[in-house]
Amino acid sequence: MAARENKFREELDRLIEKGENLNQAIQSECDSEDSSQTTAKFRDNYQQWYSLTLEIVKHILPSRLDDFKDHYQYQGASKGLYSDNYRIDDYCNKRKILQKITL
């Protein structure tokens, strides 16, 4: 049992590190002028991270699975893309956020 728990902890640590690297990649890309190649690389790395993490969430936090999926899945642009409904899928597909007008 301890060996299985250690293996799980190691995998979780790797996923956390990959997630932090993905976050840094987004920040670097936002500061860069040419982001076409970085987005494709980010998308591939994110897909791998997401698939592995999704399985962990399914087993460890099943009540949060829908919430986890919602952060990725495209919600459609029926009302436009704003900071409150922008998802990772939007970023990977280079959809732009519309500026929200507040009165």
Side-chain angles (χ1 to χ4, degrees):
M1 188 69 138
R4 185 176 176 187
E5 185 176 316
N6 286 337
K7 184 179 178 183
F8 175 76
R9 286 178 191 265
E10 289 171 7
E11 181 65 24
L12 190 56
D13 286 342
R14 276 193 295 275
L15 287 172
I16 289 169
E17 184 178 345
K18 285 181 181 182
E20 289 170 349
N21 291 341
L22 289 166
N23 184 40
Q24 289 175 353
I26 288 176
Q27 291 177 6
S28 294
E29 184 174 326
C30 289
D31 295 337
S32 173
E33 299 211 6
D34 178 27
S35 61
S36 57
Q37 290 182 342
T38 14
T39 302
K41 184 177 179 183
F42 172 86
R43 184 176 43 238
D44 293 342
N45 290 332
Y46 182 82
Q47 290 294 339
Q48 293 171 5
W49 177 87
Y50 178 83
S51 296
L52 292 170
T53 306
L54 182 65
E55 290 304 313
I56 288 176
V57 172
K58 272 185 199 176
H59 295 289
I60 305 301
L61 296 166
S63 64
R64 300 298 306 268
L65 185 60
D66 288 340
D67 185 47
F68 183 78
K69 289 178 181 179
D70 283 347
H71 286 286
Y72 173 75
Q73 294 173 335
Y74 180 60
Q75 301 294 315
S78 60
K79 63 178 184 175
L81 287 175
Y82 300 101
S83 58
D84 60 345
N85 68 344
Y86 195 76
R87 304 289 189 255
I88 292 289
D89 183 62
D90 298 318
Y91 173 80
C92 289
N93 289 294
K94 297 208 173 269
R95 295 183 195 104
K96 302 291 182 193
I97 294 177
L98 301 172
Q99 210 166 21
K100 203 176 242 188
I101 300 172
T102 55
L103 301 174

